[in-house]
Amino acid sequence: MPGRVSSVEEILTATVPNIFDQARNSTANHQKTIKHQAHRAAAVKKGTSQGDRVVKFVGAYTKYINERAAEVKKEDDDEDDDTTASRFVEKVLTFLLNGFEAKDKIATAASTFWRRWSRIWGEISETLYTELRAAIFERVHDEETFVRVQAVIALSKLCGSEDLSDVEEGEPTALEVLLETLSCDPAADVRRAALLNIPLSSATLDAVLGPTRDTDTIMRKLVYSAILVQHCFASDGSAMGLVHPRVLTISQGEFIIRNGLGDREPAVRQAAALLLSKWVDVAREDVKNEESKTVEDNVLALLSLFVLTESTVAEDTLLSVLDRRVDISDHVEFNGMFRCRISVR
């Protein structure tokens, strides 16, 4: 008769109390305790609540000891970087590095841990950072789709901290790898992860707009709903964002609308129409007297963003806005004065 296989709950119930007893006896056991928990979590199926709790616990503990170490360092005016917190982080990151080099779900778990914890490490050694960076780069090309998804998200966390002067000649940057993944990875899930996590900037904008022609319907829709709509203004709403209609070039704006309204899938066309519904409200420059704004002015401001005589983009834009925005179609008057006020760019 085959032996009984213990469940995850039974294993954790039997082992965790002993682990915490060890941790309670001495702070020297904390590193071993956390590593033991992380190892357990790595072997648990993704989405299992026990594993997720371990990941959250380790993340919270890491954040706490780093914050505490910073407070002590400030109070004591201590310049020594070798602290309990730094040694702990080094141990956990070394564990993650070993996980990246493993296979299947352990590698997936390591990528997931990095993604969840990357913002709370504090300072780490240059050597360890380089090794982790190389491991993540390798996992971006893993044969397993889910591993690549997690690796792409983890890699995006490096973009803000990467020192380009440290990148060797001929070696790609983290951003370059993400952009290549966005355009070349065969799995739509991986390309979506790249799209949603690439830092939006003037250098990446054209690449981010490129997926409006992707083969995956959800990918094309996400460009409109998750990128163009969500980043129309700065995160605090105080200024125009990089994809505000007045910031985009004429060619970029026409590229976006032509591909969206001309898409073969209704879901993508609807997302493009929703974007235009937002643009018509924000296309006009700031007017001090809000009462002076009229429906006609808003429509004219939107149409002025396109070249009216060289394509049907402006016409398609107007038809889309009138179809979706009843509040506009019921009040705009297409008289001679309206036509005279249209300026050709």
Side-chain angles (χ1 to χ4, degrees):
M1 181 176 180
R4 179 174 176 272
V5 178
S6 300
S7 67
V8 173
E9 292 85 351
E10 291 172 328
I11 293 174
L12 291 176
T13 300
T15 58
V16 169
N18 292 331
I19 295 171
F20 277 101
D21 281 340
Q22 295 175 23
R24 189 169 52 194
N25 293 333
S26 170
T27 57
N29 287 322
H30 286 188
Q31 294 179 6
K32 180 173 68 175
T33 302
I34 299 297
K35 285 176 64 179
H36 188 88
Q37 288 196 59
H39 183 77
R40 289 285 186 185
V44 174
K45 183 178 179 181
K46 177 184 177 290
T48 302
S49 59
Q50 294 86 352
D52 289 342
R53 292 192 191 107
V54 170
V55 173
K56 291 179 181 178
F57 171 76
V58 176
Y61 182 79
T62 303
K63 181 179 179 182
Y64 168 76
I65 63 170
N66 272 325
E67 291 176 347
R68 181 56 184 157
E71 292 174 1
V72 172
K73 185 175 182 179
K74 184 177 181 180
E75 292 172 358
D76 299 342
D77 196 22
D78 187 3
E79 298 297 329
D80 187 8
D81 292 329
D82 185 21
T83 63
T84 300
S86 66
R87 291 192 296 271
F88 167 78
V89 169
E90 195 92 0
K91 290 286 187 180
V92 177
L93 286 177
T94 300
F95 162 78
L96 280 186
L97 182 60
N98 293 331
F100 279 124
E101 297 170 354
K103 297 293 183 181
D104 302 326
K105 64 182 179 181
I106 301 298
T108 302
S111 298
T112 304
F113 291 170
W114 173 265
R115 173 174 63 86
R116 298 274 286 271
W117 300 339
S118 60
R119 296 183 182 276
I120 56 175
W121 291 130
E123 296 183 3
I124 61 177
S125 70
E126 183 177 346
T127 300
L128 186 55
Y129 173 86
T130 301
E131 291 177 348
L132 282 166
R133 180 179 179 275
I136 296 173
F137 270 40
E138 182 177 352
R139 283 305 173 189
V140 169
H141 302 288
D142 194 277
E143 61 182 16
E144 295 292 334
T145 297
F146 185 74
V147 174
R148 297 203 305 278
V149 168
Q150 297 301 314
V152 162
I153 300 173
L155 188 60
S156 70
K157 309 300 181 185
L158 298 181
C159 290
S161 60
E162 190 174 51
D163 188 345
L164 299 183
S165 64
D166 293 335
V167 179
E168 297 183 5
E169 185 177 355
E171 180 184 6
T173 65
L175 183 58
E176 288 171 342
V177 173
L178 286 177
L179 293 175
E180 180 185 7
T181 302
L182 176 64
S183 61
C184 299
D185 196 281
D189 285 346
V190 181
R191 298 197 303 276
R192 292 173 203 161
L195 174 68
L196 296 175
N197 288 279
I198 288 177
L200 193 60
S201 68
S202 57
T204 62
L205 180 56
D206 286 340
V208 170
L209 297 181
T212 55
R213 292 180 172 178
D214 196 274
T215 56
D216 179 63
T217 301
I218 296 177
M219 185 77 167
R220 300 196 302 275
K221 180 181 177 182
L222 282 174
V223 176
Y224 294 92
S225 60
I227 304 298
L228 295 172
V229 170
Q230 298 300 323
H231 294 86
C232 189
F233 287 93
S235 57
D236 60 359
S238 62
M240 292 185 292
L242 192 64
V243 293
H244 189 283
R246 300 199 67 85
V247 176
L248 294 168
T249 65
I250 295 176
S251 60
Q252 287 172 335
E254 292 191 344
F255 179 85
I256 291 168
I257 301 308
R258 183 186 302 110
N259 290 343
L261 295 183
D263 197 276
R264 63 182 179 274
E265 294 294 335
V268 180
R269 295 198 299 272
Q270 181 181 21
L274 287 173
L275 174 66
L276 284 173
S277 293
K278 183 178 183 69
W279 277 10
V280 74
D281 290 329
V282 301
R284 194 180 181 198
E285 292 182 289
D286 292 338
V287 178
K288 295 181 179 180
N289 184 2
E290 291 291 326
E291 295 181 357
S292 68
K293 288 185 176 181
T294 65
V295 171
E296 288 85 355
D297 288 331
N298 291 341
V299 173
L300 287 170
L302 179 60
L303 295 179
S304 70
L305 301 178
F306 308 109
V307 179
L308 305 183
T309 59
E310 295 182 5
S311 72
T312 62
V313 172
E315 178 183 349
D316 295 337
T317 295
L318 180 59
L319 292 174
S320 174
V321 169
L322 294 178
D323 178 63
R324 178 162 291 275
R325 293 287 299 273
V326 178
D327 59 317
I328 293 178
S329 60
D330 284 351
H331 295 89
V332 68
E333 295 184 9
F334 295 100
N335 52 31
M337 183 61 70
F338 179 90
R339 290 191 291 272
C340 288
R341 290 171 62 191
I342 296 180
S343 61
V344 179
R345 291 184 63 175

